[in-house]
Amino acid sequence: MHSHLTYAQPFVSEKSTALTGNVQVAGDKSISHRSLILGSQIIGCVRISGLLLGDDVMNTKKALQQLGVSIIQEGDVWVVQGRGVGGLGEPSGVLDMGNSGTGARLMMGLVASYPFTSFFMGDESLSKRPMQRVMTPLSQMGAQFQAHSGNTLPLSITGLASLMPITYELPVASAQIKSALLLAGLNTPGITTIIEPIATRDHTERMMEYLGLGVTRTPLPTGGFSISITGQPPQTFQETELHVPADPSSAAFPLVAAAIVPGSNITIANVCMNPLRTGLFTVLGRMGADISYSNQRTACGEPVADITLRYRPLKAVEVEDAIAPSMIDEYPILAVAAACADGISIMHGLGELRVKESDRLQAIADGLLACGMKAEIQGDSLIVHGTSGAVIGGGRVVTHFDHRIAMAFLVLGLNATKPITVDDSRAITTSFPTFTECMQSLGASILPERRSVRRIVPDHPLVIAIDGPAASGKGTLARKLADHYGLPYLDTGSIYRAVGMRLVHNHLDPHDVNAAIEAAKQIDEHDFANPQLRQERVGQAASIISAIAEVRAILLDFQRQFAATHKGAILDGRDIGTVVCPNADLKLFLTATLDARAQRRHEQLQGQGIEVVFDSVKRDLIERDTRDSKRHTAPLTAASDAIHLDTTDLNIADVFLQVVELIEARKAIKAA
Ligand code: S3P
């Protein structure tokens, strides 16, 4: 998986045979963030093993370094030189938390108790997530905020050397808010108390206890806790070790994969078994999964075990809202298990999923629908209709740069009749950078899209090249022929537009030759169906990049490969017959008088509800014709062996019939 790539990396997963073996999954994300942050708060040094090397944690590491903390890697161990409570310095630059809500919110709590201003930013997804939930209590303690749109990143926070300790009851069950307040309270004179009516993951409390930054906890009748921290504790020098166990939220993916692929039997070592994280394992058990635990132990204050899962058919389940906090990140993968189970599953209390890395509730439902499943959202509940293992698949899932949506649907593809594609896998590096390798080592077929695409090979490979001036009817004819012969259709206009679209969506300048070249290299057939291809600004970008020789060369290659790999195709557009496919079975050059073409274009635009006067359509066409015949790169010329077809007095049905006759004649010659 490659997080550094600017362009989407679609991945495909295909039906796989039994998954077997022992695997390690990535270190726990929550505990990794906390080990760096709390490590910085002791006086002395913490040696951390098993740290998650995902992007989210690396961003927290960098932010701490910007606050003056030394963090270095010695082989597999990360060494944090703690500066003690109150020992941080003004950050050297903007703190970029990337994709991580945990990183952003915990670090905001940490810097709130310092008399300087810190600036926070994040990626597109993080910039949409609500920050008011931490801003409100931290403001009550005395910190001041300036936030984009009032409650999102980018924001600045100006802290105080002496915050006010408060008692705060969490309005939403969120370990991030609780942890932000514990970190602020750590450097606040007096006792800060957080009341959580519903218990949420308690890694911060456990690690604070382990490191001697004591907190006290009192259970509440509601099932939650009242947690108090006495700030600015007396500290002595210490050297200590932290072992980050494997992440149960990452283990969830191979475990559910084994739970849905018949015959599977896998073991994952050293998984964090904190009861506030293991809701999914409980629910899988209720669904009938054969899940067992061995080697149970405690490491650095956290329970840990090895988990074995043997395939057994799953049955539907109803999941009550009370269990949600202990599996809040696991609903995408639980929905996948439910899609493969027998019966209708219902999951309640999922409101918080709307403000995760994406609107996960919607993304799950949309993804399931795209894969031929039935799913509905009712209020905060998700209903998934199980298929008893007969998942259709074949969908292209929109991930919204959400790692868990990407991984969940790649898992679903392992038991689907048709392969499942996720539109972008890059976000996976935020939490589980070795996901693909881990899954592959168990026998899962998960690959970058291009390598796994299977082509349909028709009996008689046929390449038909259609060219001609604007509005001569190329596209309409090409589509009709493609339908008739069951051949794939490629129009050059869409290729350039697809490249233009990538640039536009990534906010890149189409005049930037290198960016255009990179975008051309990433060209993806699936983009051709994207309705955004028709956007005006995409069209403009397409026209700019189509004049770049390097881009044309890359796309030329793409077009040739398209015809070759599909073993036949209908292609239309500029220089198809002359340059792209000089050996096409049939080359057509469509013409029609200017008036006839203007008439057609005018009708077409009116049909799309676009009101334009005929004369201006005609003027545009005259301009296009002049540009097309004079242009330097790829001027409009017919191949010497092209068949010219004047369509002025013909309707599309006539043109089509004439061309079919021509093709049948060519086919007969070819077969002979
Ligand atoms: C986390 C808490 C949860 C969880 C997130 C990690 C943490 O978020 O979804 O992935 O490490 O504290 P909320 O606190 O927003 O529920």
Side-chain angles (χ1 to χ4, degrees), residues 28-31 33-34 102 105-106 129 133 173-179 200-201 203-204 249 277 325 328-329 352 355-357 360 403-404:
D28 188 85
K29 184 153 70 71
S30 294
I31 300 177
H33 282 295
R34 287 155 173 86
T102 309
R105 295 183 179 126
L106 267 58
R129 298 179 65 184
R133 46 180 64 198
S174 163
Q176 293 178 4
I177 309 178
K178 171 177 66 177
S179 301
T200 64
R201 63 187 72 190
H203 306 299
T204 309
S249 300
R277 295 290 301 283
I328 193 68
D329 293 334
E352 271 296 294
V355 290
K356 292 294 177 188
E357 284 82 330
R360 269 190 191 152
H403 52 136
R404 301 205 195 277

Side-chain angles (χ1 to χ4, degrees), residues 421-440:
T421 308
V422 300
D423 68 346
D424 193 358
S425 60
R426 287 171 302 165
I428 293 174
T429 53
T430 59
S431 69
F432 195 173
T434 54
F435 169 76
T436 314
E437 294 76 10
C438 165
M439 296 303 294
Q440 286 168 345

Side-chain angles (χ1 to χ4, degrees), residues 627-656:
R627 249 187 297 141
D628 278 351
S629 55
K630 286 200 183 132
R631 54 193 267 169
H632 233 48
T633 33
L636 178 65
T637 44
S640 58
D641 54 348
I643 293 177
H644 291 246
L645 206 68
D646 184 347
T647 65
T648 308
D649 298 321
L650 299 174
N651 63 28
I652 177 66
D654 295 333
V655 179
F656 172 71

Side-chain angles (χ1 to χ4, degrees), residues 61-73:
K61 180 202 79 154
K62 189 160 171 246
L64 287 165
Q65 288 170 326
Q66 285 174 275
L67 289 157
V69 183
S70 156
I71 304 174
I72 54 162
Q73 191 177 13

